[in-house]
Amino acid sequence: MSVRHFRSLLDLNSQELRQILARASELKKMLAEGVAHEFLKNKSLAMIFEKSSTRTRVSFEAGMTQFGGSSIFLSPADSQLGRGEPIPDTARVLSRMVDAIMVRTFSHDTVETLAEHSSVPVINGLTDSFHPCQLLADLQTYFEHRGDIQGKTVSWIGDGNNMCNSYINAAELLDFELLIACPPGYEPMQSLLDDNKDRVRLLRDPKQAVAGSSLVATDVWASMGQEDELQKRLLDFADFEVTPELMSYANNDAIFLHCLPAHRGEEVSAEVIDAPASLVWEEAENRLHAQKALLEFLLCS
Ligand code: CP
Ligand code: NVA
């Protein structure tokens, strides 16, 4: 059987995604109840980080430890990647030593190239284009608190970035309506919008985008690698802060999610992110459980 990768959510079909989300909740329960689950004993995960991380690194490392396996952190600063060793060579070498490779990088092509030359699963831990691991956690959080997301309305407010692109993938796989409000010039990938005209709408008014919504999500206005654009972005996104007033246009039981790290007073106000409707801490925790379910799916099925 050919090796399965997780370059974007679309490497899964709807049924597989649902299976992983259900398993994530099971694994969460097993961990809480102290049930042994060393399903990846003696397996190892190489983790390449070309950008900073707290949640992704810790959740993958802790997850591998809980599974009885181990993880190896690699950064360009202290590996040959930083000295120009080609990605295909890195993929070939790591494939012979570890059981899976996770990569956080800039260009999505790097993930594609790694996957092309790797004989073990490659997992996208964030690129400029997608952040599929985060979507596993976001969806798990929604399912655990509100049930099935199919047919629901979800709002994305702010930058049409890697997270937004992955929300579009999720809308396609799980059949929900996605209303995106972003300023001109900050739209998500046009090809994704074109492929999902029936369920994804691009709007300019955040109030219109949260009307009837069950889930309001946002992210930073300047992603990693865009630090130089921050001042311009602060001006361009000024009308896109998720405030209590904006949340009042959503459904009464709408939840708020943010992949974190967050900037209170920019993309979200403290009154929203620190309120009971905000499930961001559980969302962050679910990175651990969802990625364990993903690792098990890729390595054991
Ligand atoms: N949400 C997320 O991916 O966090 P880190 O950048 O800390 O990994
Ligand atoms: N869009 C953000 C997500 C961080 C987890 C970034 O790419 O920096």
Side-chain angles (χ1 to χ4, degrees), residues 51-52 55-56 104 125-128 130-131 134 156 159 161-164 219-227 258-261 287:
K51 291 179 175 176
S52 305
R55 280 145 288 268
T56 305
R104 167 168 285 196
L126 180 147
T127 64
D128 291 343
F130 296 104
H131 195 3
Q134 183 66 52
W156 178 265
D159 195 8
N161 63 10
N162 43 12
M163 278 295 299
C164 182
D219 187 12
V220 291
W221 292 340
S223 286
M224 289 181 277
Q226 298 172 333
E227 290 79 7
H258 187 311
C259 63
L260 306 176
R287 293 292 303 275

